[in-house]
Amino acid sequence: MTGSSTNAASRAEGRPKIVLGIESSCDETAVALVTTEREILAQRIASQEAEHAPYGGVVPEIAARAHAERLAPMIEDVMQDAGLTLENIDAIAATAGPGLIGGVMVGLVSGKALAMAADKPLLAINHLEGHALSPRLADAELGFPFLLLLVSGGHCQILSVEGVGEYRRMATTIDDALGEAFDKTAKILGLGYPGGPAVEKLAKEGDPKAVPLPRPLKGSKESHFSFAGLKSAVLRAAESGKHEAADIAASFQQAAVDCLIDRLEMALRDAGPLPALVVAGGVAANQTIRTALEALATKHGMRFVAPPLALCTDNAAMIAWAGCERLPLGQSDPLDFKARPRWPLDPEAETVRGAGVKA
Ligand code: KG4
Ligand code: ZN
């Protein structure tokens, strides 16, 4: 090798790497370009909310078709937005699970095709790992370990995030995810889908103590969440005709907060002191929940980190970023990597059969 090509090689070695990320595990089609220096060069996201709204939830077949239609042009757009070609990309990161399998396959196969065509490494990303590492994309100061509460329409987990690829599940749901419980409560109260923001808005006008509702598994030593019983209690309260909808919404939200805090206290007892408490997932938009989490963090002398909501909800920047975390560690995945409908982050954790759609 000549001196100048050695220099060129070492310059290439030293420059930030660029990863193209693809997300298609639920009802968001998303593509992003992110660098190992935490720069989001371009990103696009298309929600399928309108397609699924008439059904009150995500319909897997509709989701897979929408991803298949939108993904390729979206990848082109993102490359154009950043003024880059595949040549300039260092790796392709695609969600390989867990999630609705049809959609996951659309994204993963697209990622494989790009990786093959451009002769770049493929990183098959666990969607949950994307959520777990995304706070570090927004916050360069956030080191390992930290305690993560992941609460969305598909997930309800507490994870101790100890390093890239090192996750300890401290709790998961045995039935519904918390976002699902918000959505079902909204449906019962006739508020439409997605229900979280509507329930939060109505709850502001209600009394959180007005309706007696259960706190499932509160105080339990099992590291689990459960929201199915709470939802049934909300239904009974609504059908009784004895309560204002706003009081039901406020009481439900308070019960949810109490369950979260109780389970987080349990996780902190198990995990020991951790420097930071991080929240991610769509439910992190809820101000009452944020306030309660912040108070809990203060009580335990922890930093409270709530990344910008666009990074908390499903997006492709978090998938690209997980790639950015793994690539410098010399990791990549084979082109025959299989899409996985279920893929726990912590292989040691017991399987919970009823766990929320994507847990
Ligand atoms: O992360 P996300 O956008 O998608 C996944 O489910 O993965 O989360 C959406 C969920 C929905 O269930 C929605 O009702 C809930 O997050 N959500 C909220 C709020 N905003 C969104 N739940 C409670 N309060 C909110 N303000
Ligand atoms: Zn998600």
Side-chain angles (χ1 to χ4, degrees), residues 26-28 127 131 151-155 178-183 193-200 253 281-287 289 309 312-314 358:
C26 192
D27 59 346
E28 249 94 40
H127 176 88
H131 278 302
V151 274
S152 71
H155 334 287
L178 184 54
E180 253 181 304
F182 268 93
D183 292 335
Y193 170 86
V199 170
E200 180 177 19
Q253 188 170 265
V283 182
N286 188 289
Q287 202 48 56
I289 291 177
L309 205 62
C312 282
T313 56
D314 284 353
K358 292 189 289 187

Side-chain angles (χ1 to χ4, degrees), residues 13-246:
E13 212 39 45
R15 73 164 170 76
K17 301 278 186 284
I18 303 173
V19 176
L20 173 74
I22 299 173
E23 160 60 32
S24 60
S25 67
C26 192
D27 59 346
E28 249 94 40
T29 316
V31 179
L33 282 164
V34 176
T35 75
T36 45
E37 306 267 91
R38 297 186 160 79
E39 198 182 348
I40 301 175
L41 299 175
Q43 68 168 325
R44 295 220 178 191
I45 181 157
S47 164
Q48 304 171 5
E49 219 168 275
E51 280 98 324
H52 301 291
Y55 306 95
V58 178
V59 184
E61 173 73 17
I62 294 176
R65 281 170 185 267
H67 291 305
E69 280 163 23
R70 288 173 191 174
L71 196 53
M74 205 181 252
I75 292 169
E76 250 191 330
D77 289 344
V78 165
M79 299 298 290
Q80 252 173 32
D81 291 346
L84 297 176
T85 65
L86 277 181
E87 286 276 286
N88 310 120
I89 308 298
D90 294 285
I92 316 287
T95 299
L100 301 171
I101 197 66
V104 172
M105 284 168 73
V106 170
L108 181 60
V109 167
S110 306
K112 286 177 178 179
L114 289 173
M116 197 163 56
D119 195 21
K120 305 286 175 177
L122 170 77
L123 291 141
I125 304 293
N126 183 318
H127 176 88
L128 296 166
E129 179 167 53
H131 278 302
L133 297 175
S134 67
R136 283 167 47 82
L137 167 57
D139 188 337
E141 305 289 298
L142 181 65
F144 300 114
F146 57 88
L147 194 70
L148 175 75
L149 172 69
L150 176 55
V151 274
S152 71
H155 334 287
C156 191
Q157 303 200 348
I158 301 173
L159 294 164
S160 165
V161 181
E162 289 158 13
V164 177
E166 291 173 53
Y167 314 99
R168 195 146 68 93
R169 197 186 72 197
M170 310 296 297
T172 190
T173 178
I174 55 169
D175 40 57
D176 296 344
L178 184 54
E180 253 181 304
F182 268 93
D183 292 335
K184 286 175 179 172
T185 295
K187 208 169 178 179
I188 292 167
L189 300 178
L191 302 177
Y193 170 86
V199 170
E200 180 177 19
K201 190 160 169 245
L202 186 61
K204 287 197 174 79
E205 294 156 31
D207 173 3
K209 295 199 181 82
V211 186
L213 292 173
R215 271 72 175 151
L217 297 186
K218 187 171 172 200
S220 148
K221 295 216 165 33
E222 302 279 322
S223 50
H224 292 149
F225 286 101
S226 169
F227 293 107
L230 177 56
K231 174 198 63 189
S232 309
V234 165
L235 181 61
R236 283 194 299 277
E239 285 177 349
S240 75
K242 286 195 279 191
H243 306 285
E244 295 289 332

Side-chain angles (χ1 to χ4, degrees), residues 248-264:
I248 297 176
S251 301
F252 161 78
Q253 188 170 265
Q254 189 56 48
V257 166
D258 291 350
C259 291
L260 288 179
I261 298 301
D262 178 68
R263 303 289 75 197
L264 282 164

